[in-house]
Amino acid sequence: MSTESILKDTSITFLESYLNNASPTGYESEGQKLWMNYLTPYVDTFITDTYGTAVGVINPDAPFKVVIEGHADEISWYVNYITDDGLLYVIRNGGSDHQIAPSKRVHIHTKKGIVKGVFGWPAIHTRLRDKEESPKISNIFIDLGCETKEQVLEMGVHVGCVITYPDEFMILNENKFVCRAIDNRMGGFMIAEVARLLKENNKTLPFGLYIVNSVQEEIGLRGAEMIAQTIKPNIAIVTDVCHDTSTPMIDKKVEGDLKMGKGPVIAYAPAVQNKLRDLIVDTAEEKNIPFQRHATSRATGTDTDAFAYSNGGVASALISLPLRYMHTTVEMVHREDVENVIQLIYESLLKIENNETFSYFK
């Protein structure tokens, strides 16, 4: 399969709309609707759960179950305190980076609709030169242009409203996808593309395939924990992002030597089942798909951990997408890596046989 042929114009159109849509942790429903609508022609049925994880299923009656998974949520903020002067102080919803907040535009999600605001910051002229204060959770604040707390409340903004950045999708130098929330709605996009390829290439799988777009990964893998108990899969192949360590200020001795454009990243970790990982590595080598390796030590920090340690143990593996500037509004990935992750998952599925055990001792 040629990587040049994988992504269609309709795929990119969907990707842009999917990334541009806000999907903060705990409020993923609108994004999930977009994703399910795109996936509908390629699956037999859907499963959803109480908190919003969405699953497209192929061969739902098959007893042997294979999961491919990404997560749907993005980092965000909550309104935590409103001053008498109408300014908002915030707390994190996921791993939001306080250092990038000053001067960013924001959308506050209310029952009355979106309320726009900005993270304010003192002008450079007014800051003490000998003791310049850095942004931190306790001093960043949002300005809605209001003069009183009452005006804020009249807009529908209250403590507990969720806050996202509006930064939208763009393409740099023809092959770099840039947006907020590529971590990890790109994962949801890639597994949907796998389903599309299976359908368009008329591939019949000897097992049930569960295309899982989990919620609440950013606050502790919670959506994956829940849906793993519902599906009870035999195998799980998870896709997420990892750091491109070729950019300035990153220590490769600590974070590993990984770079976007050099292929998918295959993880080595206790939660990664050795035989399943070997199948994926063998597939990459046989199909001439470039790949990189990453040792993640005790935990992968991804939904792989949630699936691996569920239901008495599920053979799990992690294929990551190298990404620059994680948890900022300018997350960046290489188009060829996106295509190669899709191809690697697709080809790996075609090598899995029905009732394959991946036993540790065989």
Side-chain angles (χ1 to χ4, degrees), residues 241-269:
V241 295
C242 62
H243 301 291
D244 175 338
T245 62
S246 68
T247 55
M249 301 169 66
I250 298 178
D251 188 347
K252 292 181 180 179
K253 297 189 296 295
V254 175
E255 301 293 343
D257 188 2
L258 304 168
K259 186 174 183 178
M260 69 177 185
K262 294 182 69 175
V265 176
I266 298 174
Y268 287 70

Side-chain angles (χ1 to χ4, degrees), residues 24-43:
T25 301
Y27 300 85
E28 300 94 341
S29 60
E30 293 305 312
Q32 294 290 58
K33 291 175 186 176
L34 287 173
W35 183 81
M36 293 170 71
N37 183 64
Y38 180 75
L39 193 62
T40 294
Y42 314 125
V43 298

